[in-house]
Amino acid sequence: MRLVIFDIDGTLVPSPSSEARFARYLWQIRALGPRQLLAFAWFTLRYLPRFGKHVMQKNKAYLSGHDYGYIVDTARRFVADVLVPTLHAPAVERLKAHQAAGDTVVLLSGTPQFLADALGEALGVEFCVGAACSTESGRFTSAPPRRHPYGPTKIDAAETLASQARLPLAEAVAFGDSINDAYLFRVVGEAVAVAPDRKLSAEAAGAGWEVLDRHAKA
């Protein structure tokens, strides 16, 4: 039995990201209004000096003011109706194969926790770690997420998951698509680059990591 870590965006979910798709879904059902749009714009301006090029990944302010339970329920419907039909079939096939082999499969992503949980539920994955968006009194706020597994911070989350599963991270398998996943790839036993971006593709070639093409047969 091994720990198998799957990234979500770009790996299981083709571009655009699960969060971008969800924001569009909220707009379509008229759940985004002036309050959320202004909060999103203000977050970008306020936190650009702090987060730099990663400010958009940190920006969850489009959720501000919404009831937590409402967003969780909406995310579950969105994932089942909209996201699941778009999933990258070869990556899902690999996920199912690891489950069938008895491995402990986890989802680890910078997408909001409620989206990671909903996708995990749809795929039969019990352990999911996503961004912990800021809430107060049961409603989302425009503050930065309290936890955001992205780039090197994924290693901390992976170490916690490995400890909880009582499985060595050094023998784990990781699936990802971006050069930002290379941090995690370097500390696991086996890495699989799924339709990798240019930088990860070059690093995969040098490190001997497996590359799973977007159009590979499931």
Side-chain angles (χ1 to χ4, degrees), residues 142-153:
S142 59
R146 302 188 306 275
R147 179 189 68 231
H148 188 225
Y150 183 78
T153 63

Side-chain angles (χ1 to χ4, degrees), residues 92-115:
V92 173
E93 186 72 12
R94 292 291 290 270
L95 183 151
K96 295 296 184 183
H98 280 291
Q99 288 175 321
D103 293 328
T104 297
V105 176
V106 303
L107 302 184
L108 177 58
S109 171
T111 202
Q113 184 69 48
F114 55 81
L115 286 176

Side-chain angles (χ1 to χ4, degrees), residues 52-210:
K53 65 180 181 180
H54 301 303
V55 68
M56 299 310 289
Q57 285 89 351
K58 300 286 185 180
N59 194 343
K60 318 297 182 186
Y62 66 94
L63 299 167
S64 63
H66 276 304
D67 177 77
Y68 179 82
Y70 168 76
I71 290 295
V72 168
D73 290 342
T74 303
R76 189 175 290 115
R77 293 194 301 272
F78 158 76
V79 166
D81 297 341
V82 178
L83 200 61
V84 167
T86 73
L87 295 181
H88 178 209
V92 173
E93 186 72 12
R94 292 291 290 270
L95 183 151
K96 295 296 184 183
H98 280 291
Q99 288 175 321
D103 293 328
T104 297
V105 176
V106 303
L107 302 184
L108 177 58
S109 171
T111 202
Q113 184 69 48
F114 55 81
L115 286 176
D117 286 340
L119 182 58
E121 182 179 329
L123 293 174
V125 176
E126 181 179 357
F127 301 105
C128 307
V129 178
C133 301
S134 295
T135 59
E136 184 176 334
S137 301
R139 290 187 177 275
F140 288 95
T141 75
S142 59
R146 302 188 306 275
R147 179 189 68 231
H148 188 225
Y150 183 78
T153 63
K154 274 193 172 183
I155 297 176
D156 297 331
E159 288 175 341
T160 299
L161 287 165
S163 177
Q164 291 173 342
R166 298 183 180 181
L167 294 170
L169 186 60
E171 297 178 9
V173 184
F175 289 75
D177 72 295
S178 165
I179 189 60
N180 292 306
D181 295 309
Y183 296 98
L184 180 59
F185 280 12
R186 297 185 190 108
V187 300
V188 298
E190 182 180 341
V192 182
V194 181
D197 62 23
R198 180 177 56 81
K199 290 183 178 180
L200 182 60
S201 182
E203 185 140 353
W209 296 330
E210 179 186 352

